[in-house]
Amino acid sequence: MKQVINDNRVKLTLRGLGIIIILAGLLLLAPKAYGAFPEKPIKVVVYTGPGGLIDISARKFAGIASKYVDVNFVVENKPGAGGIVALKKVIQAPADGYNLYACTKSNIAKFVQVGGEGYLDALHWTAMLMADPECVITNRQMDIHEWPDLVENALAVPGEQTWVGPAAGGLDHVTALKIWDKYGMDAKWIPFKSGGKALAALLGEQGLAYVGNPRDALGNPDLFIAAVSAPERLEAFPEVPTFTELGMPGLENEFMWRGFALKQGTPQEVIDWYDDLFKKVTADEDWKTFWSKGGLDVTYVAEPEFSRLVAEDAEVFEYYLKKSDILPGDAVGFLAKLAIGSQFTIFAILLVLVWLSSSYVVYRSGYSALLGRFMVIGFFLLVSILFLVQSMNFPSSSAVGPAAVPRLWITMLIPLNLLLMIRTFRKNEAASESGPRVDIVLSFIGFLVAYLLLMQIFGYFLSTFVFILAGLYYLGYRNTRNSLIISGTWILFSYIVFYKTLYVPLPLGSLFQNLF
Amino acid sequence: MIELLNNLGDGLAFVMGVIPILTITLGVTMGIIAGATPGLSPSMGVALLVPFTYAMSPTLALILLVAIYIAANYGGSITAVTINAPGTPSSVVTAFDGYPLTKKGKPGMALGVSLVSSTIGGIVGTLILIFFSGPLARFALKFHPAEYFALAIFGLTTVASLGGKNWNKAFIAAMFGLLLNTIGIDPISGVSRFTFGLSFLYDGFALIPALIGLFALSEIFKQLEGGNFANLQMDAGKQEWPSASAYWKLKNTILRSSFMGTIIGIFPGAGATIAAFISYDVTKRLSKKPEEFGKGSMEGVAAAEGANSSSVGGALIPLLTLGIPGSASTAVLIGALMIHDLTPGPQLFISNPDIIYGLLASLLLANIILLVLGFFGSRLWIKVTTIPKTVLFPLIFAVSIIGSFAVRNSFFDVAACLAFGVFGWILRRYNYPVAPIILGMVLGNIAETNFIRAVMMGGWTVFFTRPLSLGMLVVAAASFAVPLIQARKQKQSPEQSN
């Protein structure tokens, strides 16, 4: 039996070597970036999960673009941090045009909040393909729903009128701030998790106005578009007045846009290739009818006009975010806070290390059963105190600032732990459920860590194949043929279901990526 | 009413065709698979199919998506029962009693009860959706942030009875879950909290990797530590399945849980998980055998599955009547409707009754197909418990890794999953229940954002000046205190008799 396994190991090693040799050969044979763009699939990086409008836009674009050019477009979802995660993916890759960033105006607000100019300059703003005007929506069932009444009410009760909408600091919030600014109004912005939930609050008469796009008001006759920010009335909503008509200039061009960007420094011939493609897609009948059905107007704005627009957006966001205390006002204070932040991080890491090493000592000592309980309590107390200290640094412009709720949980967590500590001292609780083979657990944790590290180099498929084989062997499963079948089936399953069908970009590994 | 029944009749006539039935069957099958795979959520399943539905007729497209949505909620319970790896957050509650039943060698009982409760829950939810969606939707709209906060607190107090003797540890776990949830960018102010400047922490910890780690991985670590990989000696052919009278005994539990699940499902954002926790808690309190809960109670399984499956019907109420999504999956459905040039909302009932009633009829049919597929499928799922553990464990690790990666395509989530696994293993060694951490992570956002919204809108006293919110908080306080007092009494009485 053992012989079989050894043979098998040899086979595996040989197979691995074989793959490497073939790949190395391919690398040598491959023409070195002299061919015409594109020579491999293009990734369209989307900053949300599947299903959102930007995701649909990206997929539709990919579908139509492949009519005109002979290349595969692969849509990859990289959700997180309002677009920063996706952006990092694009700007960390080479500027070769193979990563197309699908972006919206909301990203600009996030970039301004988090990183400022750096992120904006890292991208070449290639094409803006859609523009969706912003509007104010009210509830027809409420007395105050016409625009002039709304303004009059806001001026009568300064600081009391309630507006609802999506996240603070986003495009809709900033549009509201701009409108209030122009009219000299002072109202409250109550942020909801999504536009839809804010609309529910509007229908539930919990707020007077909502900021979004005209499409949001379709489908429910109680929703009333009070005013739209457009140069002239919209074709689809001819009864809705523009701000200009209502007597307020300077609000005729607030809109949400969607488009695509490339990494800054992408070669000119690649950009030309894209410009040509965007022109063709914009002119495509299928593309136009698809979006007009959804009430959206397609457009095409390229460099340098698009860049100018983005810079303008960033300026406006910065101005209003500072004004509403979402961005810290003076740089000195901000930097000071950052400094505290990094020192604090080092302090926190040290504390955790101390805790981990003392846990190890406790584990090796003869008293682990009793002391272990206190180590767990100690862990919770440690985290509570670290978080409590850090919450002192949060800006607090209002009574219920960002520190309020974490502190609430901490002030409950600390007494609960102290109580448990007393209870543990006073009586012997039921013995902990420990088993004899902690060593197996620890070695498996080691296996898993090694597996994840190897995945970075050798990619998901190879390292998983090896991991499953090793795991089976370690646990004492000695049927080599079945082992190979099990690992192989899993690899096939994950390739077909996750990689191909669900578009999960399983890592191919730095080794193979560099080879290709 | 007559018009409604007429329309529904037309809808039923439509879905009884070959193509709709095939579509539903396909959707249910895919939903069960997506639900049973940790890391694939119903909303992902629905979202990924949206592009495929471009070419289909709008009604068929919706039927397919809704069938996936329904079946995924059931699918989550399969892995919860067989390997203690809940496929969806709401099936955490199913694992409380489902997995102990498997350990006792009775996975058939748990799978049977979970299937039948899911089906009945789904049908009750659909019927409520068909007949009462109008008034219920109007009620849901009046729900103030103060009331959402009170609902979250109410959900949190279920920890008191879940924890039992270990209530102190259970609350620590819940509070820790709530605190973990505050990591990332504050949803209200936009300030980043406890991120230590690390961009992968901006969105905080995702729920699914935590769920996989705390349940699936910690369970394997625990069994590895036990050093005994001998399999439960079970013969899948001779498995024990619940008898008709066993189901009949559960009728009250299933119906009550279904009503509660539908009602809680209506409130946008609350959803299946809170519904399952609250229903489980209420069932335990009303049960004649509360001591069996957590050790393999069929009532417990029925309460969890009845509630989480019926919440689907509830979540569709605000979607169809108001055009407002009640859950992540329904949010994706809105996108799907829009692609087909349909705007969800009251207008849709007037402009496209065929679509609405076709959808409603297909919901009923999808539940029945789920019952049939589940009935035969259960004979298959149960085989999972007969796979040798030496084979099962490496595969569960593989599923966990790929599942946690798939959530956001991020390695951070994989590392977090592993860390949660080790953390959960240590906690379980010291008798801390891990489910409250998940509850805390689910409730944290609802509690926090609504707390702040309520204070912004009505000041600090708003929780006590609104009658509904005050009432819910009083009930929450009572349900928090009662189990503790009972536990104290029980502890004192044996001492006195001694």
mmCIF file of all heavy atoms in Angstrom, chain A residues 399-413:
data_model
loop_
_atom_site.group_PDB
_atom_site.id
_atom_site.type_symbol
_atom_site.label_atom_id
_atom_site.label_comp_id
_atom_site.label_asym_id
_atom_site.label_seq_id
_atom_site.Cartn_x
_atom_site.Cartn_y
_atom_site.Cartn_z
ATOM 1 N N ALA A 399 -25.020 64.387 18.360
ATOM 2 C CA ALA A 399 -25.200 63.686 19.630
ATOM 3 C C ALA A 399 -24.972 62.185 19.451
ATOM 4 O O ALA A 399 -24.360 61.538 20.296
ATOM 5 C CB ALA A 399 -26.597 63.946 20.159
ATOM 6 N N VAL A 400 -25.463 61.628 18.334
ATOM 7 C CA VAL A 400 -25.281 60.203 18.108
ATOM 8 C C VAL A 400 -24.254 59.996 17.008
ATOM 9 O O VAL A 400 -24.581 59.656 15.892
ATOM 10 C CB VAL A 400 -26.602 59.500 17.751
ATOM 11 C CG1 VAL A 400 -27.389 59.202 18.988
ATOM 12 C CG2 VAL A 400 -27.415 60.341 16.792
ATOM 13 N N GLY A 401 -23.015 60.231 17.326
ATOM 14 C CA GLY A 401 -21.936 60.101 16.357
ATOM 15 C C GLY A 401 -21.592 58.642 16.140
ATOM 16 O O GLY A 401 -22.244 57.750 16.686
ATOM 17 N N PRO A 402 -20.536 58.391 15.340
ATOM 18 C CA PRO A 402 -20.163 57.013 15.033
ATOM 19 C C PRO A 402 -19.678 56.228 16.250
ATOM 20 O O PRO A 402 -19.592 55.008 16.191
ATOM 21 C CB PRO A 402 -19.033 57.175 14.010
ATOM 22 C CG PRO A 402 -18.614 58.586 14.084
ATOM 23 C CD PRO A 402 -19.761 59.373 14.588
ATOM 24 N N ALA A 403 -19.336 56.904 17.352
ATOM 25 C CA ALA A 403 -18.818 56.176 18.512
ATOM 26 C C ALA A 403 -19.938 55.664 19.404
ATOM 27 O O ALA A 403 -19.723 54.773 20.226
ATOM 28 C CB ALA A 403 -17.883 57.073 19.309
ATOM 29 N N ALA A 404 -21.137 56.219 19.260
ATOM 30 C CA ALA A 404 -22.208 55.948 20.236
ATOM 31 C C ALA A 404 -22.516 54.461 20.362
ATOM 32 O O ALA A 404 -22.469 53.901 21.465
ATOM 33 C CB ALA A 404 -23.458 56.727 19.846
ATOM 34 N N VAL A 405 -22.814 53.822 19.243
ATOM 35 C CA VAL A 405 -23.296 52.444 19.337
ATOM 36 C C VAL A 405 -22.186 51.454 19.719
ATOM 37 O O VAL A 405 -22.399 50.614 20.597
ATOM 38 C CB VAL A 405 -24.044 52.052 18.049
ATOM 39 C CG1 VAL A 405 -24.372 50.573 18.032
ATOM 40 C CG2 VAL A 405 -25.323 52.864 17.936
ATOM 41 N N PRO A 406 -20.961 51.548 19.114
ATOM 42 C CA PRO A 406 -19.906 50.652 19.599
ATOM 43 C C PRO A 406 -19.698 50.778 21.113
ATOM 44 O O PRO A 406 -19.520 49.770 21.796
ATOM 45 C CB PRO A 406 -18.665 51.130 18.844
ATOM 46 C CG PRO A 406 -19.178 51.779 17.626
ATOM 47 C CD PRO A 406 -20.517 52.345 17.962
ATOM 48 N N ARG A 407 -19.750 52.010 21.612
ATOM 49 C CA ARG A 407 -19.563 52.176 23.063
ATOM 50 C C ARG A 407 -20.687 51.509 23.834
ATOM 51 O O ARG A 407 -20.469 50.955 24.910
ATOM 52 C CB ARG A 407 -19.489 53.651 23.425
ATOM 53 C CG ARG A 407 -18.139 54.225 23.100
ATOM 54 C CD ARG A 407 -18.038 55.642 23.608
ATOM 55 N NE ARG A 407 -16.934 56.306 22.934
ATOM 56 C CZ ARG A 407 -16.845 57.621 22.808
ATOM 57 N NH1 ARG A 407 -17.795 58.393 23.302
ATOM 58 N NH2 ARG A 407 -15.812 58.147 22.195
ATOM 59 N N LEU A 408 -21.895 51.584 23.275
ATOM 60 C CA LEU A 408 -23.032 50.935 23.937
ATOM 61 C C LEU A 408 -22.766 49.441 24.086
ATOM 62 O O LEU A 408 -22.935 48.868 25.166
ATOM 63 C CB LEU A 408 -24.301 51.171 23.107
ATOM 64 C CG LEU A 408 -25.582 50.542 23.612
ATOM 65 C CD1 LEU A 408 -26.036 51.228 24.889
ATOM 66 C CD2 LEU A 408 -26.677 50.630 22.555
ATOM 67 N N TRP A 409 -22.291 48.786 23.014
ATOM 68 C CA TRP A 409 -22.030 47.335 23.089
ATOM 69 C C TRP A 409 -20.886 47.069 24.064
ATOM 70 O O TRP A 409 -20.924 46.121 24.832
ATOM 71 C CB TRP A 409 -21.684 46.759 21.723
ATOM 72 C CG TRP A 409 -22.647 47.014 20.594
ATOM 73 C CD1 TRP A 409 -22.319 47.287 19.301
ATOM 74 C CD2 TRP A 409 -24.082 46.996 20.621
ATOM 75 N NE1 TRP A 409 -23.447 47.458 18.541
ATOM 76 C CE2 TRP A 409 -24.549 47.289 19.313
ATOM 77 C CE3 TRP A 409 -25.027 46.792 21.622
ATOM 78 C CZ2 TRP A 409 -25.899 47.362 18.984
ATOM 79 C CZ3 TRP A 409 -26.378 46.866 21.291
ATOM 80 C CH2 TRP A 409 -26.801 47.145 19.993
ATOM 81 N N ILE A 410 -19.856 47.946 24.021
ATOM 82 C CA ILE A 410 -18.703 47.716 24.899
ATOM 83 C C ILE A 410 -19.113 47.844 26.362
ATOM 84 O O ILE A 410 -18.712 47.037 27.198
ATOM 85 C CB ILE A 410 -17.560 48.702 24.557
ATOM 86 C CG1 ILE A 410 -16.985 48.354 23.180
ATOM 87 C CG2 ILE A 410 -16.467 48.640 25.600
ATOM 88 C CD1 ILE A 410 -16.051 49.392 22.621
ATOM 89 N N THR A 411 -19.947 48.838 26.653
ATOM 90 C CA THR A 411 -20.335 49.005 28.058
ATOM 91 C C THR A 411 -21.207 47.847 28.536
ATOM 92 O O THR A 411 -21.400 47.678 29.730
ATOM 93 C CB THR A 411 -21.088 50.327 28.297
ATOM 94 O OG1 THR A 411 -22.123 50.423 27.328
ATOM 95 C CG2 THR A 411 -20.176 51.512 28.205
ATOM 96 N N MET A 412 -21.742 47.063 27.640
ATOM 97 C CA MET A 412 -22.436 45.859 28.087
ATOM 98 C C MET A 412 -21.479 44.672 28.143
ATOM 99 O O MET A 412 -21.601 43.803 28.989
ATOM 100 C CB MET A 412 -23.610 45.552 27.161
ATOM 101 C CG MET A 412 -24.669 46.624 27.240
ATOM 102 S SD MET A 412 -26.281 46.010 26.820
ATOM 103 C CE MET A 412 -26.422 46.536 25.162
ATOM 104 N N LEU A 413 -20.514 44.666 27.209
ATOM 105 C CA LEU A 413 -19.590 43.529 27.118
ATOM 106 C C LEU A 413 -18.669 43.462 28.345
ATOM 107 O O LEU A 413 -18.431 42.388 28.897
ATOM 108 C CB LEU A 413 -18.765 43.672 25.833
ATOM 109 C CG LEU A 413 -17.995 42.463 25.324
ATOM 110 C CD1 LEU A 413 -18.881 41.243 25.224
ATOM 111 C CD2 LEU A 413 -17.388 42.769 23.968
#
